[in-house]
Amino acid sequence: MSYRGRAASILGDAGVGDLIRVRKDGAIYDGVLMPRTELGDEEHIVLKLKNGYNIGIGTSGAEVEVVQKGAPREIKRGATIPADPTKPQVTILGTGGTIASRVDYRTGAVHPSFTAQELLTAVPELAGLADIRTRAICNILSENMTPSHWTEIARACADELNRGAVGVVIAHGTDTMAYTATALSFMLQDLWKPVVLVGSQRSSDRPSSDASLNLVSAVRAACSDLGEVTVVMHGSSSDDRCLVHRGTKVRKMHSSRRDAFRSINTLPLGEVTERGIRPLSEYKRRKDGVEVKVDARLEERVALLKISPGMGQELLERAVDTHQGIVLEGTGLGHVPEYLLKPIARAREEEKPVVMTTQTLYGRVDMKVYSTGRELLTSGVISGGTMLPEVAYVKLMCALGRAKSYEEAKSLMETDLVGEMGPSIGTDTFLV
Ligand code: ASP
């Protein structure tokens, strides 16, 4: 619906979908002009701010300036881009998320909507980089991902790489992207080619979307000399660079910023440039001609519990009753209130591994410093070292799926399998 009355007169030639700046009472509001909804009448206009929220602004005393004329990016439904066998083949697996979503300009809500093929039409420069093939796995928001989706994605990656793709890009929601990246890191065996997860914080049809730089960079990474599972996302809040993160060391650290993804306890692997990857730390290099396999054995009955002061003992008791392994997000160096030692000791008796990680995320677990930590070690708690809580969670599913005994599962948890346990390199990388 378009604006009428006083709203229309202050908008001048600003149209719905344009990025505009509104000055009012000394404040400045930048955002995309939304159509007239219940928030916008003849006296108000509706803006979608950078943080994703819609606000209604009264027109009295307001001045409007058009910052960027931009109708929403047009994504053609059902469109396809022809194959180009003269270029290296990269397969984009579509799983959904904001990157494959469309903003509903009536309500401002975002829905998964586009296929990977349709996404291509929004970023035509991709076709100049590689022979892009696409394959749909699902079209869901990533909060709905399950371990069976991880298995399906892992099988599709192996399949594509063994059938000639130089790399695979997975378009994925950002919320749980790091879990999927971790699962693929453990499930894909003999992987020596790039598997790159990518997403966006703004839907692809929005003029301000980060999708196009992220996708172009992900395809560049998929053609590069990387030989492992990575996440490629914006490396700054402007549209100038993307960083490559190891799949088991990355975390979404902001709910809305473009550069929400950070390597934790380590440097990113590299920066994506037009020439490929500019390395920032050591990574596994591509080797061609090796067949990728999938180890899909997973024990899904694993719980991830955050320790909080005064939390009920029955919560942990119940988790021990109903799960085969537990990851704790302890306080500080890896601590829990004393009364939780009882259910932890029972888990050990029942041969159910309990792995300690830290809710500080940065730094490592060290249970030898305080008496509570020492008691935890005596009760049989396994140290997760520098592993992120969610990495330990997915790894414990894999370890329990593969191991035939408690000891074997413990030893897998204590072994660095794919770079997930790298040393914490100190405060200089804190929040880099
Ligand atoms: N909730 C969305 C998802 O994870 C957010 C995103 O894609 O950025 O699917």
Side-chain angles (χ1 to χ4, degrees):
M1 259 188 289
S2 52
Y3 290 89
R4 291 198 296 262
R6 197 204 306 236
S9 69
I10 68 149
L11 284 171
D13 60 359
V16 167
D18 288 351
L19 183 60
I20 62 170
R21 170 164 295 170
V22 184
R23 287 193 173 80
K24 185 182 154 98
D25 301 334
I28 293 184
Y29 305 91
D30 285 339
V32 175
L33 182 65
M34 303 293 286
R36 194 156 66 88
T37 59
E38 65 282 5
L39 281 177
D41 49 27
E42 297 185 8
E43 303 295 321
H44 294 83
I45 55 170
V46 186
L47 276 197
K48 181 170 276 292
L49 300 176
K50 264 193 175 166
N51 62 15
Y53 289 106
N54 291 352
I55 55 162
I57 303 178
T59 48
S60 138
E63 281 170 36
V64 171
E65 178 194 333
V66 178
V67 176
Q68 191 191 317
K69 210 53 197 153
R73 277 173 182 269
E74 203 198 338
I75 302 188
K76 296 192 194 78
R77 311 311 306 259
T80 54
I81 284 199
D84 177 359
T86 60
K87 298 202 171 70
Q89 188 202 317
V90 169
T91 303
I92 301 183
L93 303 179
T95 72
T98 300
I99 194 164
S101 294
R102 189 170 53 82
V103 63
D104 180 338
Y105 279 86
R106 275 175 309 114
T107 60
V110 171
H111 307 280
S113 171
F114 303 121
T115 63
Q117 206 25 265
E118 286 164 352
L119 209 54
L120 261 187
T121 65
V123 193
E125 52 272 52
L126 289 179
L129 299 175
D131 176 20
I132 308 270
R133 312 284 170 94
T134 57
R135 178 164 165 180
I137 305 289
C138 52
N139 203 353
I140 57 173
L141 292 171
S142 75
E143 49 272 36
N144 297 320
M145 281 278 162
T146 61
S148 43
H149 290 108
W150 301 339
T151 305
E152 207 185 329
I153 299 170
R155 293 216 165 101
C157 288
D159 204 34
E160 293 298 325
L161 294 173
N162 294 338
R163 276 201 279 163
V166 298
V168 171
V169 170
I170 303 158
H172 196 290
T174 58
D175 288 1
T176 70
M177 183 184 282
Y179 289 79
T180 303
T182 298
L184 296 178
S185 304
F186 292 122
M187 291 166 95
L188 292 171
Q189 307 286 304
D190 291 327
L191 177 74
W192 293 94
K193 286 183 186 173
V195 168
V196 185
L197 288 104
V198 69
S200 73
Q201 296 278 70
R202 313 269 181 276
S203 60
S204 300
D205 60 339
R206 299 249 302 260
S208 61
S209 179
D210 47 336
S212 115
L213 179 69
N214 289 351
L215 261 176
V216 166
S217 304
V219 169
R220 287 204 162 112
C223 297
S224 76
D225 65 347
L226 282 163
E228 52 181 293
V229 178
T230 60
V231 164
V232 169
M233 291 288 288
H234 260 60
S236 77
S237 52
S238 38
D239 251 347
D240 57 358
R241 64 177 197 145
C242 279
L243 290 173
V244 186
H245 306 275
R246 173 161 289 141
T248 52
K249 291 306 248 184
V250 65
R251 202 164 198 277
K252 182 174 178 177
M253 296 297 280
H254 199 281
S255 57
S256 56
R257 278 175 72 115
R258 288 157 179 262
D259 56 346
F261 281 78
R262 303 291 163 114
S263 286
I264 307 293
N265 275 323
T266 186
L267 289 172
L269 301 181
E271 184 184 36
V272 187
T273 73
E274 276 169 23
R275 271 163 281 122
I277 307 296
R278 185 174 76 81
L280 295 173
S281 59
E282 287 288 305
Y283 58 80
K284 193 170 145 193
R285 305 278 165 151
R286 173 194 290 279
K287 221 192 286 176
D288 288 318
V290 186
E291 196 186 326
V292 187
K293 293 174 208 70
V294 176
D295 188 338
R297 291 172 294 170
L298 287 176
E299 168 54 78
E300 292 185 28
R301 286 168 299 168
V302 170
L304 172 57
L305 280 186
K306 182 164 184 154
I307 300 298
S308 51
M311 73 185 270
Q313 181 177 330
E314 65 286 359
L315 206 62
L316 189 52
E317 295 282 6
R318 180 93 180 109
V320 175
D321 289 342
T322 51
H323 291 77
Q324 295 305 309
I326 294 166
V327 174
L328 296 176
E329 226 184 281
T331 58
L333 291 167
H335 302 133
V336 303
E338 274 169 9
Y339 57 84
L340 292 184
L341 286 168
K342 203 172 138 236
I344 288 174
R346 178 162 73 86
R348 176 68 193 91
E349 272 159 40
E350 293 179 16
E351 307 219 315
K352 295 177 173 177
V354 177
V355 179
M356 182 62 73
T357 61
T358 172
Q359 48 195 257
T360 66
L361 308 176
Y362 285 90
R364 61 165 59 248
V365 165
D366 187 348
M367 292 180 281
K368 293 200 191 87
V369 179
Y370 291 94
S371 51
T372 45
R374 287 168 189 257
E375 281 179 67
L376 283 167
L377 284 172
T378 319
S379 314
V381 169
I382 301 164
S383 170
T386 57
M387 262 189 294
L388 288 164
E390 52 274 27
V391 171
Y393 169 70
V394 176
K395 185 176 175 185
L396 189 53
M397 287 191 193
C398 297
L400 288 170
R402 292 173 197 181
K404 300 212 165 39
S405 65
Y406 173 92
E407 286 309 325
E408 203 186 327
K410 176 172 188 280
S411 135
L412 280 171
M413 290 309 290
E414 290 172 339
T415 308
D416 186 11
L417 301 177
V418 288
E420 75 279 12
M421 298 190 98
S424 156
I425 59 170
T427 49
D428 50 340
T429 58
F430 186 58
L431 287 184
V432 165

